[in-house]
Amino acid sequence: MNLEPLGTPEAPTFGLDTFGDVALHPDGTAVSHPEAIGQVVAEAVVAEQVGLDFFGIGEHHRPDFSVSSPDVVLAAIAGQTSRLRLGTSVTVLSSDDPIRVFQRFSTLDAVSGGRAEVTLGRGSFTESFPLFGLSLDDYETLFSEKLDLFTQLLQERPVTWEGTFRPPLVAGQAFPRTAHGLTAWIGVGGTPESVVRAASYGLPLVVAVIGGSPARFEPLVDLYHRALEHYGHGTRPISMHSPGHVAVTDEQAREEMYPHQAAAFTKIGAERGWPPYTPEQFDDGAGPTGSLFVGSPETVATKIAWAIRTLGLSRFQLKYAVGTLPHEQRLSSIRLYGEEVVPRVRELLARRAD
């Protein structure tokens, strides 16, 4: 498994995440799924143009997100880029087959010239379980077993393995092989068990901070480091995924982001029995230590630098596609992030190091 291009707390890398959120046209109508996927490809191309390091696409199976097969979209992006690392945020391993996941991403690694990554997780949505004939009663066991198999496949040697949900493997092999190993991360939402499990396999960690403060993850990051030591692994990269939006001023960024953030979280909340999203929740998240990285380049850069120092991050991933936020506003946010935010973060980190 190749960890070299993933950054360090001293020299972090910077990426973007999207779920292929279905945006709005200027007239307020929703774009189609084919249009939304085309927009994702165009946004990734701009991400490379402005010097970003990573582009991640999440897997979902619901109408407000257009991407159910991230590896296919990432392959399209690979054909239009040359440097950008390409991965997921996340791949729902619980409802997929580990061998097929490895094969798809080792293929992506080949067509992208070694730029593929995969972030494995259980996902925050559960639509894939009934869609693929799986029971939510098996939610935890499915992920545990499939992750165990997948980590063995990463060794790219014959695998003999037995579990509950599939026939045993006897010297099974997954092809194609990669040139330098496939980079795999574990995405976690904040449970100690998930953090320890990632450490037990020696896999790098992505923490999804979509509520509260990044600082509340400090004990989990400490636990991860202690668990890595316990299991005999060296240091591994840690990344953070959080939503945000960059505009010329704080006021513009908040005005552009809020209605789309509120609509998305109110819709999801109605499905899960939560109350409607409020301006107060948005203001809390947009504060100096909240989970929303929204504002002017200086505001967002200051907050990212703080998060990197607080958690010792090797990478920061901005979830820039906020619900129905229009494509042109997303493109503007990407440009400001790459051209102004990231250089300023590096400057702030270097100043602190001196």
Side-chain angles (χ1 to χ4, degrees):
M1 182 169 60
N2 181 14
L3 299 178
E4 289 300 318
L6 305 185
T8 67
E10 295 74 30
T13 58
F14 298 88
L16 292 169
D17 287 335
T18 180
F19 300 157
D21 310 53
V22 174
L24 296 178
H25 288 298
D27 64 3
T29 59
V31 305
S32 67
H33 285 154
E35 287 177 284
I37 291 171
Q39 289 176 353
V40 169
V41 175
E43 289 157 5
V45 170
V46 172
E48 171 151 299
Q49 291 171 352
V50 298
L52 295 173
D53 303 296
F54 171 80
F55 195 85
I57 304 178
E59 172 197 346
H60 292 82
H61 303 270
R62 48 185 291 131
D64 39 350
F65 302 125
S66 63
V67 181
S68 59
S69 300
D71 51 292
V72 178
V73 183
L74 291 167
I77 294 168
Q80 299 188 43
T81 58
S82 61
R83 185 189 55 79
L84 198 65
R85 292 191 65 81
L86 305 170
T88 55
S89 54
V90 300
T91 292
V92 185
L93 185 63
S94 310
S95 56
D96 212 328
D97 180 84
I99 295 176
R100 291 297 290 144
V101 172
F102 178 86
Q103 290 174 329
R104 295 198 305 267
F105 282 88
S106 63
T107 301
L108 174 64
D109 198 62
V111 300
S112 66
R115 293 183 282 142
E117 301 181 9
V118 60
T119 298
L120 307 167
R122 291 174 290 184
S124 59
F125 295 90
T126 59
E127 288 85 359
S128 62
F129 286 81
L131 188 64
F132 299 124
L134 300 169
S135 172
L136 284 172
D137 293 339
D138 301 320
Y139 183 82
E140 178 63 32
T141 308
L142 280 166
F143 184 71
S144 297
E145 288 196 359
K146 292 183 178 187
L147 178 61
D148 185 65
L149 174 53
F150 190 88
T151 56
Q152 295 191 45
L153 296 169
L154 286 173
Q155 304 304 314
E156 303 195 25
R157 297 193 295 263
V159 173
T160 296
W161 183 92
E162 185 172 353
T164 306
F165 296 101
R166 58 166 298 145
L169 278 178
V170 179
Q173 300 187 62
F175 303 103
R177 299 281 195 247
T178 64
H180 303 290
L182 178 64
T183 296
W185 302 69
I186 296 291
V188 302
T191 65
E193 294 80 9
S194 295
V195 168
V196 171
R197 177 162 47 207
S200 72
Y201 289 111
L203 293 176
L205 193 70
V206 182
V207 293
V209 183
I210 57 175
S213 172
R216 71 184 177 89
F217 280 80
E218 282 187 271
L220 290 172
V221 168
D222 179 65
L223 175 63
Y224 176 64
H225 289 306
R226 288 187 284 114
L228 283 171
E229 183 177 2
H230 170 78
Y231 286 108
H233 300 298
T235 302
R236 294 292 187 269
I238 301 174
S239 185
M240 187 174 98
H241 155 108
S242 284
H245 178 63
V246 190
V248 174
T249 67
D250 289 347
E251 293 76 14
Q252 180 185 349
R254 290 185 179 214
E255 287 175 4
E256 288 178 351
M257 180 178 178
Y258 174 73
H260 305 285
Q261 172 84 355
F265 273 75
T266 296
K267 179 179 180 180
I268 294 168
E271 298 171 3
R272 302 183 180 185
W274 302 341
Y277 192 82
T278 66
E280 291 74 22
Q281 285 176 277
F282 184 77
D283 289 341
D284 286 345
T289 60
S291 60
L292 300 180
F293 289 74
V294 53
S296 67
E298 181 66 25
T299 295
V300 175
T302 300
K303 193 168 182 178
I304 291 174
W306 165 78
I308 289 171
R309 289 193 297 263
T310 299
L311 298 181
L313 300 176
S314 303
R315 177 187 285 169
F316 179 84
Q317 299 170 211
L318 181 72
K319 203 279 184 178
Y320 72 94
V322 181
T324 51
L325 188 75
H327 177 55
E328 289 305 319
Q329 291 180 14
R330 294 176 183 174
L331 289 174
S332 177
S333 181
I334 291 169
R335 293 187 181 100
L336 288 169
Y337 178 60
E339 295 173 349
E340 298 189 31
V341 172
V342 170
R344 180 59 174 152
V345 173
R346 291 185 172 130
E347 185 178 283
L348 291 168
L349 294 174
R351 181 185 302 174
R352 183 67 173 265
D354 294 341

